[in-house]
Amino acid sequence: MSRTASEIEPKSAETITFGGFVFLTKSKQLRTVEGKAVDLRSQSAEVLSVLAARPGEIVSKDALMQAVWADTFVTDDSLTQCIADIRRALGDDEHVIVQTLPKRGYRLNADPLDTVDPNAAAGTERARSRFSRRGFILVAIVLVAAAIGAYYGAQMWPSATVRSTDMSRIAVLPFEEFSTGADKGYLSDAVAEGIITELARSKTYAVIARNSSFRYRGQPIDVRQIGDELGVDYLLEGSQQKIGDRLKVTAQLLNAHDGSHVWANTYNREIGDLFVVQEEIIRTLADRVGRRIERPLPKSDAAQVSALHYHLMGIVEIRKDFSATGNELLRQLNLKAIEADPDSQFGYIGLAWFYRNDAIFGWHEQEHNRDEALKRAAEYADKAILLAPDDAEAHQIRASIHTEAGEFEQALARYDQAIALNPSNSDILVHSTDPLLYVGRTDEAIERIELAMGIDPFHADWFHWQMGWALWEKNDCGAALTAMRKMSRIPIGAHRMLAGIHACLGNEQEAKEALAVFLQNSPGQSISQERREWEKIWIAPGSLNRWIEHMRIAGLPE
C-alpha cells in the first residue's frame, strides 16, 4: 500500500456538508445541519475524514487503509465495516453519499464549495438551503430511475437491513455452557441464535450478525471494547445449563458505551420450554431498550428441542468440513432430527442443504444425478416452509435451489423473503449473490458481499470464496486469488474455484494441484458434465466457455 500527500492531506475548509450533514474536519465530528451530533465510531470518523479531505474525488482503498491503519495490520474487512458504519449514520442506504467505485475505491459525493463557518448561523442556513435543493433533485432522479426500473423489470433487491440513526444496535454474545457430562453441548448455540433471529425479525433493532458476535466466545468480556469493535449500543450475554430435563438460562443486557447493567434475569424451566424462554428474554429486552415486540409465544416441547439439537450438530459438521464426508454427516444428523420431531422444520432444512450440495458438487453421483438431487432438495425445503413459513433459513435454502435450477425470478423472491425475515443473517445476504453472478450482474454481487462483510466484520471464511468467484467473473484473477487466500483453510469444495483462478492466471501446475484436491470427492466430474450441468443457468455472457477453458487447463478430463 502507498499514499501520497495529495491523497490524504485535508483541504483548508473547516467543514464539509453533504446529504444534510456537516463534518467538522479539525475535530472529526459529524453533525446534522441543525447542529445535532451524530454518533460515529472513532475509526469510522477517521475514514470519513480522509474522504472529506477530497470531496467528489475517488480515494483508493490503499490510501484509506494507509491513512487510518498505517501502523496496524488489518484486513480490508475493517475498512468495509467503517464504510458501512458511515452509511448507517448518514442513512445512505442507496450508497449515494458514499459511493463505491469497484476496483478503484470510494468517493464522498459532497460539494467542496459547500463549506461553512460552524459559528455562523447564516452559513448553516445556506447549507440547509443547498441540501434542500439537492435533496429535491436527488428524489426526482430516484423516482425516475425507479419508474424506468419498474418498466423494464430491473428491480433491485432491498438492502439487508435498514438502520436509521436512532435505531439501537445490539450484539448477542454466545451463551456460556455450564452443562456437564452427556448434557454438555446439547443446546449448542440454540438459545443465542434464536434470540438473534427473533430480534432481527422484529425490525426494531439493528442486530450484528452471529459470526461477528460469536467471535468473542471464551474471551474475557470487555464490554466497551467489544461495543467499539462491533459498533453496537448494547450487548446481551448469558449462560445456559441443562440438567436432565431442566434448563436454566441466565441473561443480562449491558450498555456497551459505559459497561453498566441495564437488565438481568434467570429462567429455570423444563427443557421443552426452550423457545418460550427465548421469547420471554426477547420481550424483556425489547421493553428495557424502549420497544415492545407484540407476538404470541411460540409452542415448544422437548421433541422440537431435540430436533433443533441434531440439526445444529449437522450444521457444525458441514461448516467444519465442507466435503462429501461433512455433507454425509449433515444428512445423518438431520435424519435424526426428523426422527426426533417430524413436525419441526429443522431436519427438512438440513436435508434440503444436503441434496443441494450433492447437486452442485457431485458428491454422490452414483446415487443421484443433478436433477434428481435438486428435486429432492426442493421437496424437503417445501416441507420445511409448510411447517414453518416464518423461518428465514427455510426460504434461504429454497431460494438456493431455485437458483441452481435456473429459476431466477423465484430465487429473487425467496431471497427477498428470507432477508426480510432475518435482516441480520449475513450468510443469507451472501448466498443471495449466486443468481446475480450466474446472470452477469457482477458489480451488484460484489457490493452485496461487501455489505455482508460490513454488517458481519468477523464473517465466515466462505465469504472470501464467494468474493473469489465474483472477482473471477470480472477477470480480476489476481484479486480473486487474494480473496481465496484470506480463508483460514480452503475447504475441499472450494478447490475447484481455486483451480479456475489459477488457470486464469496461467498457473497451470497450481491449477492441476487444486483440481486434484477437488476430484478426491468428485471423481466422476468431466468437461462434458460441467457444460451439461451449467449451460442452462450460467448465462453470464462468455462465462461458461471461459470456465470450461480454465477447467481444461487444470486438467479436467473431457
Side-chain angles (χ1 to χ4, degrees):
M1 294 184 292
S2 62
R3 60 173 177 164
T4 63
S6 62
E7 283 187 291
I8 63 174
E9 286 299 320
K11 302 290 185 182
S12 59
E14 292 186 358
T15 63
I16 302 292
T17 65
F18 43 84
F21 296 86
V22 178
F23 186 70
L24 281 64
T25 57
K26 290 185 176 179
S27 60
K28 299 178 183 177
Q29 294 180 338
L30 180 64
R31 298 178 182 176
T32 65
V33 290
E34 290 80 14
K36 181 180 178 181
V38 179
D39 287 338
L40 201 61
R41 294 186 303 121
S42 58
Q43 289 184 339
S44 301
E46 291 286 343
V47 171
L48 183 55
S49 176
V50 178
L51 292 171
R54 296 177 59 83
E57 300 180 28
I58 299 172
V59 183
S60 70
K61 288 185 177 181
D62 281 356
L64 286 164
M65 295 286 287
Q66 184 66 20
V68 179
W69 295 279
D71 301 318
T72 306
F73 176 77
V74 296
T75 67
D76 292 349
D77 296 346
S78 298
L79 175 59
T80 302
Q81 181 186 3
C82 288
I83 293 294
D85 187 41
I86 294 168
R87 286 168 172 160
R88 174 192 60 79
L90 300 176
D92 186 22
D93 299 322
E94 301 297 328
H95 301 185
V96 173
I97 302 174
V98 180
Q99 184 180 3
T100 301
L101 288 304
K103 297 175 60 177
R104 300 177 67 190
Y106 298 93
R107 176 168 57 204
L108 178 66
N109 287 320
D111 184 349
L113 297 178
D114 214 358
T115 58
V116 296
D117 182 344
N119 298 317
T124 300
E125 191 61 36
R126 287 196 302 273
R128 185 182 297 112
S129 174
R130 288 190 183 104
F131 169 65
S132 299
R133 291 195 298 272
R134 286 201 305 274
F136 177 81
I137 295 171
L138 178 60
V139 169
I141 292 172
V142 169
L143 288 175
V144 171
I148 295 172
Y151 181 82
Y152 288 104
Q155 183 178 0
M156 289 289 292
W157 297 342
S159 68
T161 179
V162 178
R163 295 175 176 170
S164 64
T165 55
D166 62 348
M167 181 182 287
S168 298
R169 289 167 59 86
I170 301 171
V172 180
L173 301 180
F175 279 30
E176 290 190 67
E177 175 62 81
F178 291 149
S179 306
T180 59
D183 290 329
K184 188 173 182 62
Y186 180 87
L187 295 172
S188 185
D189 292 319
V191 174
E193 286 185 337
I195 293 170
I196 289 172
T197 298
E198 291 299 322
L199 284 176
R201 183 182 299 169
S202 75
K203 300 181 182 178
T204 306
Y205 309 91
V207 185
I208 201 73
R210 69 171 301 283
N211 292 334
S212 290
S213 59
F214 281 23
R215 178 189 176 99
Y216 299 95
R217 187 192 306 276
Q219 298 182 22
I221 301 299
D222 184 328
V223 175
R224 281 173 288 188
Q225 178 184 345
I226 296 175
D228 184 60
E229 290 177 355
L230 295 180
V232 297
D233 305 298
Y234 297 93
L235 293 179
L236 183 69
E237 65 166 1
S239 65
Q240 59 194 31
Q241 184 177 21
K242 180 179 180 290
I243 307 174
D245 293 331
R246 296 200 66 81
L247 168 67
K248 181 179 180 180
V249 176
T250 65
Q252 61 176 340
L253 180 67
L254 306 173
N255 185 314
H257 299 294
D258 59 17
S260 62
H261 285 71
V262 179
W263 160 82
N265 209 343
T266 299
Y267 303 83
N268 200 329
R269 299 290 184 79
E270 295 290 334
I271 187 66
D273 288 339
L274 170 63
F275 301 112
V276 176
V277 170
Q278 286 180 14
E279 187 70 17
E280 288 190 3
I281 294 173
I282 296 163
R283 284 171 178 265
T284 308
L285 173 60
D287 181 64
R288 294 299 184 270
V289 178
R291 312 279 192 186
R292 284 189 177 276
I293 302 172
E294 299 297 338
R295 189 161 53 249
L297 291 173
K299 295 180 180 179
S300 179
D301 55 42
Q304 188 179 26
V305 174
S306 293
L308 175 61
H309 165 63
Y310 287 119
H311 172 66
L312 291 175
M313 287 177 64
I315 296 299
V316 167
E317 292 298 334
I318 192 64
R319 285 178 177 171
K320 182 171 62 178
D321 180 17
F322 195 83
S323 67
T325 301
N327 204 44
E328 177 59 22
L329 287 173
L330 175 70
R331 183 184 73 88
Q332 293 176 8
L333 288 165
N334 279 279
L335 285 173
K336 288 185 178 181
I338 294 174
E339 183 180 353
D341 186 0
D343 294 325
S344 293
Q345 74 272 26
F346 306 114
Y348 303 104
I349 293 174
L351 287 182
W353 277 113
F354 165 79
Y355 284 107
R356 176 262 187 193
N357 295 340
D358 178 18
I360 295 176
F361 298 99
W363 283 332
H364 295 281
E365 285 298 321
Q366 69 276 18
E367 298 175 14
H368 314 287
N369 63 38
R370 177 184 172 84
D371 292 340
E372 289 173 350
L374 284 178
K375 180 180 178 181
R376 297 193 69 175
E379 290 171 353
Y380 283 117
D382 289 341
K383 177 71 171 179
I385 292 171
L386 181 65
L387 291 170
D390 290 334
D391 192 304
E393 292 186 15
H395 290 281
Q396 175 193 3
I397 179 54
R398 192 63 182 93
S400 182
I401 296 162
H402 278 307
T403 299
E404 299 305 327
E407 300 162 351
F408 296 122
E409 290 186 10
Q410 295 96 316
L412 293 176
R414 286 290 182 189
Y415 275 124
D416 283 352
Q417 196 164 1
I419 292 170
L421 287 168
N422 190 352
S424 80
N425 192 318
S426 56
D427 285 0
I428 295 177
L429 194 60
V430 176
H431 269 295
S432 73
T433 64
D434 283 353
L436 289 177
L437 292 172
Y438 278 136
V439 302
R441 292 161 60 177
T442 307
D443 288 340
E444 295 174 39
I446 290 174
E447 287 214 6
R448 186 162 284 261
I449 297 167
E450 289 177 341
L451 175 61
M453 290 177 173
I455 67 172
D456 188 358
F458 305 126
H459 53 77
D461 266 357
W462 72 270
F463 287 25
H464 297 302
W465 178 0
Q466 194 78 352
M467 182 64 85
W469 175 18
L471 292 168
W472 178 91
E473 289 281 354
K474 288 183 70 69
N475 203 21
D476 189 356
C477 295
L481 182 59
T482 298
M484 295 291 286
R485 285 176 171 169
K486 288 180 179 180
M487 303 173 76
S488 59
R489 182 184 63 85
I490 300 178
I492 291 176
H495 275 76
R496 176 169 55 177
M497 188 74 252
L498 183 63
I501 292 170
H502 274 303
C504 172
L505 292 169
N507 304 331
E508 184 172 344
Q509 184 59 37
E510 290 88 344
K512 291 180 182 296
E513 291 172 356
L515 186 65
V517 174
F518 174 78
L519 292 177
Q520 291 174 7
N521 277 185
S522 307
Q525 290 295 105
S526 65
I527 293 292
S528 59
Q529 185 170 346
E530 294 267 313
R531 185 178 293 280
R532 182 173 63 253
E533 291 180 352
W534 303 113
E535 62 185 356
K536 293 182 180 179
I537 64 171
W538 204 348
I539 59 177
S543 285
L544 180 57
N545 287 335
R546 181 165 158 258
W547 176 257
I548 292 299
E549 180 58 31
H550 289 166
M551 287 297 97
R552 285 197 177 102
I553 293 172
L556 189 66
E558 293 292 334

